[in-house]
C-alpha cells in the first residue's frame, strides 16, 4: 500500500499538465498572443510615445504591497507609459514570493480618472482600440490572478478605466467622500479592460446594467448596498485611510505566505475554471502545503492543546 506522501506525489505526477500550468504556474500567462493577432512589442512601442506619471510599488516587510497610481495633475489618469509600468509591476508582484496582500490606491486623494485622453485620441482606429484592449485585459487578468489578497482603496473618484481597475481587486474600500462611475457610455464606448465582465461577477447582471448605463451613480452608501464595495472607511485623509485599509487587510493575511498564496490561487481557480478542473486544482494546491512547515507547526500546537 502507498503511504500518503507517495500517493500525493503520484497524484501530482498524473495531473493534467494543462490544468497544473493554469494553476501552479499561472504567472506569465496572458489571455492574448500572436494567435489572436496581438503583438505585444508593437503595442509597447506605441504606448511609449505617451509619457506622464508613474506606477509606484512599495513592498512592506509585513507582506503587504502598496501600488500607487501617480499622475495627480491628470487625476491619476493612465498615460501610455503608466500602462507599461503597470505590467512591469504586475510581473514584479508575480515574483514576490514573500507577498501576501496588496493595496491599490491613487496619489493625492483620488483613485484614477481612467485613460489619458491624449493617448486615446491618438489611438483612434478600431484596430488601435482592440490592441489597447488586449494589452490591458492581459495585464489586469494577470493582476487578478496574483496570489495576493488585493484591495482597491478608493479615495475621490474612480472613473472609466479607474472604475474598471477596481473590479480586478478582491475587495474594495471607499472613503466617505468618494465615488465610482463607469463613464464609458458618455464617451461613446463600452468598458474594454475587462470591467463589464468582472462587474457582472461582483454585483450581477441587472445591477451591472444599471451602473454601466449611468442610471446608478455609486456613492459609498449605494456601492455598499449593492455589494460593489466591502466597507466604507471612517477616514478621508490620505495617510489615515491608508492605515485603516492596511489594518482591514491584515485580518485576511495572518499566517505564512505559502498558505495565503495557495488559498488565493484556489479561489482564483474556482472563479475561472469549470467545476472538475477547479477541484483538480484544489487538489494540486493541497499538495504544495500538506505536510509543509505551517501544517506541521499547526498540528504540533493542536497536539499541545488537546493534552
Amino acid at each position: 500500500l502507498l503511504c500518503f506522501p507517495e500517493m500525493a506525489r503520484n497524484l501530482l505526477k498524473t495531473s493534467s499538465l494543462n490544468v497544473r500550468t493554469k494553476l501552479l504556474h499561472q504567472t506569465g500567462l496572458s489571455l492574448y498572443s500572436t494567435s489572436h493577432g496581438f503583438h505585444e512589442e508593437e503595442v509597447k512601442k506605441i504606448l511609449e510615445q505617451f509619457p506622464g506619471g508613474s506606477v509606484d510599488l512599495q513592498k512592506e516587510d509585513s507582506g503587504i504591497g502598496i501600488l500607487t497610481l501617480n499622475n495627480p495633475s491628470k487625476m491619476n489618469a493612465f498615460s501610455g507609459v503608466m500602462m507599461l509600468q503597470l505590467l512591469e509591476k504586475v510581473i514584479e508582484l508575480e515574483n514576490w514570493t514573500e507577498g501576501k496582500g496588496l493595496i491599490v490606491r491613487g496619489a493625492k486623494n483620488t483613485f484614477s480618472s481612467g485613460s489619458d485622453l491624449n493617448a486615446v485620441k491618438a489611438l483612434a482606429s478600431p484596430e488601435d482600440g482592440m490592441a489597447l484592449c488586449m494589452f490591458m485585459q492581459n495585464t489586469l487578468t494577470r493582476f487578478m490572478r496574483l496570489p495576493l489578497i488585493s484591495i482597491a482603496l478608493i479615495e475621490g473618484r474612480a472613473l472609466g478605466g479607474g472604475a474598471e481597475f477596481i473590479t480586478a481587486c478582491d475587495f474594495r474600500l471607499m472613503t466617505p467622500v468618494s465615488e465610482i462611475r463607469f463613464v464609458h457610455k458618455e464617451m461613446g464606448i463600452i468598458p474594454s479592460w475587462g470591467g463589464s465582465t468582472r462587474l457582472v461577477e461582483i454585483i450581477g447582471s441587472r445591477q451591472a446594467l444599471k451602473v454601466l448605463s449611468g442610471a446608478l451613480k455609486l456613492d459609498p452608501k449605494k456601492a455598499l448596498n449593492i455589494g460593489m464595495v466591502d466597507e466604507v472607511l471612517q477616514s478621508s485623509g490620505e495617510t489615515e485611510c491608508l492605515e485603516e485599509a492596511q489594518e482591514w487587510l491584515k485580518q485576511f493575511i495572518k499566517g505564512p505566505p505559502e498558505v495565503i498564496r495557495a488559498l488565493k490561487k484556489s479561489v482564483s481557480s474556482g472563479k475561472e475554471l469549470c467545476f472538475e478542473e477547479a477541484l483538480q486544482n484544489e487538489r494540486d494546491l493541497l499538495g504544495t502545503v500538506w505536510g509543509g512547515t505551517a501544517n506541521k507547526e499547526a498540528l504540533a500546537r493542536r497536539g499541545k492543546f488537546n493534552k
Side-chain angles (χ1 to χ4, degrees):
L1 291 175
L2 291 173
C3 68
F4 280 120
E6 288 173 329
M7 287 175 66
R9 278 194 292 272
N10 286 344
L11 280 170
L12 287 171
K13 286 177 185 174
T14 56
S15 297
S16 154
L17 181 60
N18 183 41
V19 171
R20 284 178 54 70
T21 299
K22 281 181 180 174
L23 194 219
L24 299 176
H25 305 289
Q26 277 179 350
T27 54
L29 288 185
S30 294
L31 286 174
Y32 303 110
S33 63
T34 52
S35 63
H36 303 94
F38 176 67
H39 302 279
E40 184 175 79
E41 293 308 313
E42 291 179 14
V43 177
K44 285 182 176 179
K45 287 176 184 176
I46 295 170
L47 293 177
E48 284 171 358
Q49 299 171 29
F50 301 98
S54 62
V55 177
D56 307 323
L57 176 61
Q58 178 183 342
K59 293 184 283 191
E60 310 260 333
D61 292 339
S62 63
I64 294 177
I66 300 171
L67 189 75
T68 303
L69 309 177
N70 191 356
N71 193 9
S73 67
K74 295 193 174 182
M75 285 182 58
N76 301 323
F78 275 89
S79 66
V81 167
M82 285 174 69
M83 293 179 191
L84 295 176
Q85 288 183 1
L86 178 62
L87 176 57
E88 290 170 5
K89 301 306 180 189
V90 168
I91 293 168
E92 186 176 343
L93 288 165
E94 286 173 343
N95 294 296
W96 185 32
T97 55
E98 297 84 17
K100 298 189 286 183
L102 181 67
I103 295 172
V104 183
R105 65 196 294 253
K108 304 297 182 185
N109 284 104
T110 197
F111 189 79
S112 173
S113 59
S115 301
D116 184 344
L117 291 182
N118 288 332
V120 172
K121 288 175 184 175
L123 301 169
S125 73
E127 292 77 18
D128 289 337
M130 290 277 281
L132 182 59
C133 165
M134 288 190 278
F135 181 86
M136 288 303 291
Q137 283 192 13
N138 274 351
T139 299
L140 288 181
T141 300
R142 287 172 70 168
F143 175 91
M144 188 179 68
R145 289 174 175 166
L146 287 170
L148 305 165
I149 296 177
S150 61
I151 287 177
L153 171 56
I154 304 156
E155 305 169 72
R157 291 178 165 182
L159 307 178
E164 291 195 66
F165 194 172
I166 67 171
T167 65
C169 295
D170 298 312
F171 300 107
R172 284 152 293 281
L173 306 177
M174 292 180 80
T175 63
V177 290
S178 57
E179 68 170 329
I180 301 166
R181 285 181 59 207
F182 288 79
V183 296
H184 304 77
K185 189 185 80 167
E186 297 168 25
M187 301 297 295
I189 56 172
I190 63 170
S192 60
W193 297 359
S196 297
T197 304
R198 293 187 298 265
L199 188 66
V200 169
E201 184 183 350
I202 295 165
I203 61 173
S205 58
R206 290 171 64 246
Q207 296 287 17
L209 273 176
K210 292 178 186 177
V211 171
L212 293 173
S213 69
L216 190 60
K217 303 285 192 300
L218 293 179
D219 60 29
K221 184 178 178 181
K222 287 177 182 173
L224 191 62
N225 284 343
I226 67 170
M228 182 69 189
V229 300
D230 299 274
E231 194 161 315
V232 179
L233 300 177
Q234 300 294 315
S235 311
S236 293
E238 194 169 17
T239 303
E240 294 81 3
C241 68
L242 177 59
E243 290 173 354
E244 206 176 330
Q246 286 175 300
E247 286 304 310
W248 196 89
L249 178 56
K250 282 177 183 175
Q251 65 185 312
F252 302 108
I253 61 168
K254 292 174 182 173
E258 65 271 18
V259 178
I260 305 301
R261 294 164 70 82
L263 186 151
K264 170 64 188 287
K265 286 182 179 180
S266 179
V267 171
S268 294
S269 72
K271 280 168 51 176
E272 290 195 50
L273 303 178
C274 74
F275 188 73
E276 289 185 9
E277 283 183 321
L279 287 176
Q280 292 167 2
N281 274 344
E282 191 173 309
R283 175 202 66 195
D284 290 353
L285 276 172
L286 177 68
T288 70
V289 292
W290 187 287
T293 303
N295 181 219
K296 288 177 180 175
E297 288 176 355
L299 290 172
R301 286 196 299 272
R302 286 296 176 92
K304 290 176 184 177
F305 297 149
N306 292 335
K307 286 180 181 177

